[in-house]
Amino acid sequence: MKSCISVIKADIGSIGGHVAPSSRLVEATRRHVQERGSSLVSDFHISYTGDDIAILMVHTRGLGDPEIHKMAWDAFVAGTAIAKEQGLYGAGQDLLKESFSGNVKGMGPAVAEMQFDERPGEPFLFFAADKTDPGAFNLPLYLAFADVMNTPGLILSPSLSKGFRFVIMDVRNTAADSVIELNAPEEMYDIAALLRDPERYVVESIWSRSTGNQAAVVATSRLHNIAGKYTGKDDPVMLVRVQMDFPATGEVLAPYAIGHFVAGGMRGSHHMPLMPVHQNTGISYFDGPPIVSCAGFSEHGGKLTEPVDCFAHPFWDEVRGKVSEKAIEMRRQGFVGAAMLSMDELEYTGIMTKLASLEKRFRVRTPNESPIPA
Ligand code: 13P
Ligand code: 13P
Ligand code: MG
Ligand code: MG
């Protein structure tokens, strides 16, 4: 029977703004999964990153299982009740539909699921990011799975040398899932041409070309596509299987030392560098900087080990210092140009009303009119 790992995450309210969920909220969510999930999942782990709480589950019920999804949805509903009771900010923020209907996809929570034949050793990484969106993983995934400068395994390991297949989604198509499959290394430039625009083209999954096995899956939901307006950032989750026919853990982690600029931070409307952080870290400076956490697990027979906190190592302290400097440098230019997202992205925020009212005040100058105001 195939193993399945599902991670479903949502922002259902947080303390002191969009900072972090309360321990009572986390506990209520955990209790629900423990009590209602025992017949569905063989193991689970609850964590948070910024104000997003994630339920990671191991089971054999397959992808998109309605009962697993409903159990997770109900866990978030139970957590939301506590958020309301405590007056947390944005209680139930990501529960965008009134009632559950079959699958949490398209209802607000982010979901990433992978089904596979368990290897003798099954190491995998669970990434969660806050104050950013799924495109934040484009560059790290490209580097880890297609670039020899990052991943020497692509030339050192025969099982990696056939390369990887990228499935990339055009998240602007709100009517249906619009995807393209591209092979690295032959089509690397095509992959790069799409991934350079992380607000539109997002890596959905990656597959080994030597074994056909799935290496990675990213939650691709865009909340404004569901809500039609800005309701919070699409803080993504991702699962990456590592070692053997996949890149090594360190090859998958290495790109996060860049602290690349991503969409996110304050009001979901800015470019800020992505900071790798410990599990269960909140946010702070300028509602950010955008953060990413990574928990490493081994899975066997449906059971998880305890997580290893991949960005807790002292190496990442230096990276965090550099990312803070980049964040402050970008913030020095405030609202102007590259600091803020493109108009395409801002069109879901309140700025459109302001621009519409200013548009009416524009007038066309007559040919001989003086440029000096009357
Ligand atoms: P307010 O909800 O206080 O307007 O702040 C906006 C925000 O933080 C985006 O969710
Ligand atoms: P979240 O999407 O994490 O709730 O953040 C909202 C926001 O606008 C923070 O400034
Ligand atoms: Mg929030
Ligand atoms: Mg969040």
Side-chain angles (χ1 to χ4, degrees):
M1 205 180 296
K2 283 185 186 295
S3 304
C4 198
I5 299 176
S6 301
V7 55
I8 302 184
K9 78 95 222 172
D11 175 347
I12 50 173
S14 46
I15 305 176
H18 295 277
V19 177
S22 69
S23 44
R24 273 190 65 201
L25 183 163
V26 175
E27 189 42 41
T29 309
R30 185 198 316 279
R31 202 170 333 112
H32 184 96
V33 179
Q34 190 133 40
E35 286 167 9
R36 306 294 171 80
S38 57
S39 59
L40 301 173
V41 303
S42 52
D43 209 349
F44 73 94
H45 180 77
I46 310 263
S47 58
Y48 68 86
T49 299
D51 58 4
D52 294 284
I53 170 162
I55 310 172
L56 175 78
M57 297 164 281
V58 189
H59 58 94
T60 52
R61 302 177 64 89
L63 303 174
D65 180 71
E67 290 193 47
I68 299 246
H69 280 232
K70 179 165 193 331
M71 189 269 293
W73 174 270
D74 289 343
F76 291 138
V77 170
T80 298
I82 300 296
K84 287 185 175 155
E85 206 181 297
Q86 293 189 294
L88 299 191
Y89 195 64
Q93 178 178 297
D94 285 354
L95 306 184
L96 297 178
K97 305 280 159 149
E98 286 298 310
S99 57
F100 179 79
S101 63
N103 189 306
V104 295
K105 249 183 199 160
M107 300 184 68
V111 51
E113 299 183 285
M114 215 174 348
Q115 182 167 255
F116 50 85
D117 291 313
E118 190 185 291
R119 298 170 292 170
E122 188 54 67
F124 73 92
L125 306 176
F126 159 50
F127 290 87
D130 185 38
K131 307 297 182 269
T132 185
D133 56 32
F137 292 126
N138 279 8
L139 178 64
L141 288 173
Y142 174 85
L143 293 173
F145 286 90
D147 187 345
V148 184
M149 290 290 280
N150 179 89
T151 301
L154 294 168
I155 51 173
L156 295 177
S157 161
S159 53
L160 269 68
S161 62
K162 284 215 177 90
F164 289 89
R165 173 166 301 149
F166 284 66
V167 179
I168 296 168
M169 183 180 282
D170 177 354
V171 295
R172 286 282 163 86
N173 186 346
T174 53
D177 285 355
S178 174
V179 293
I180 184 171
E181 292 178 22
L182 292 169
N183 288 325
E186 305 92 293
E187 297 175 299
M188 268 179 72
Y189 294 169
D190 298 325
I191 294 171
L194 295 178
L195 298 191
R196 64 147 297 277
D197 184 357
E199 305 317 303
R200 173 155 189 191
Y201 301 107
V202 173
V203 177
E204 179 191 57
S205 62
I206 300 178
W207 304 75
S208 160
R209 293 173 69 197
S210 68
T211 61
N213 290 335
Q214 185 168 7
V217 62
V218 180
T220 51
S221 64
R222 299 297 319 264
L223 293 177
H224 63 219
N225 289 350
I226 304 167
K229 63 178 180 6
Y230 180 72
T231 60
K233 212 65 198 149
D234 315 285
D235 309 324
V237 285
M238 168 168 80
L239 296 167
V240 183
R241 295 167 76 205
V242 288
Q243 307 293 155
M244 293 169 73
D245 41 346
F246 306 125
T249 304
E251 289 168 334
V252 176
L253 296 180
Y256 297 91
I258 297 170
H260 66 298
F261 286 101
V262 297
M266 183 57 65
R267 297 172 188 274
S269 304
H270 295 82
H271 284 125
M272 295 282 282
L274 184 65
M275 179 183 281
V277 295
H278 296 235
Q279 289 269 280
N280 306 324
T281 298
I283 53 87
S284 179
Y285 173 70
F286 199 62
D287 276 11
I291 54 175
V292 59
S293 70
C294 176
F297 289 93
S298 282
E299 182 266 340
H300 186 64
K303 291 288 169 197
L304 294 170
T305 57
E306 71 274 29
V308 169
D309 194 338
C310 296
F311 294 133
H313 188 278
F315 170 85
W316 299 99
D317 293 339
E318 172 88 4
V319 171
R320 284 187 270 275
K322 292 206 162 124
V323 171
S324 296
E325 282 167 22
K326 277 176 86 163
I328 292 167
E329 196 51 42
M330 181 57 111
R331 288 310 311 137
R332 279 158 57 84
Q333 78 173 61
F335 59 90
V336 172
M340 207 183 264
L341 297 193
S342 72
M343 228 51 219
D344 272 5
E345 283 298 307
L346 296 183
E347 72 180 284
Y348 298 92
T349 71
I351 199 171
M352 299 320 280
T353 324
K354 177 177 293 298
L355 291 177
S357 75
L358 290 174
E359 185 60 36
K360 291 191 206 115
R361 293 175 54 189
F362 274 86
R363 59 186 186 79
V364 175
R365 258 193 203 133
T366 53
N368 298 322
E369 194 179 327
S370 162
I372 298 166

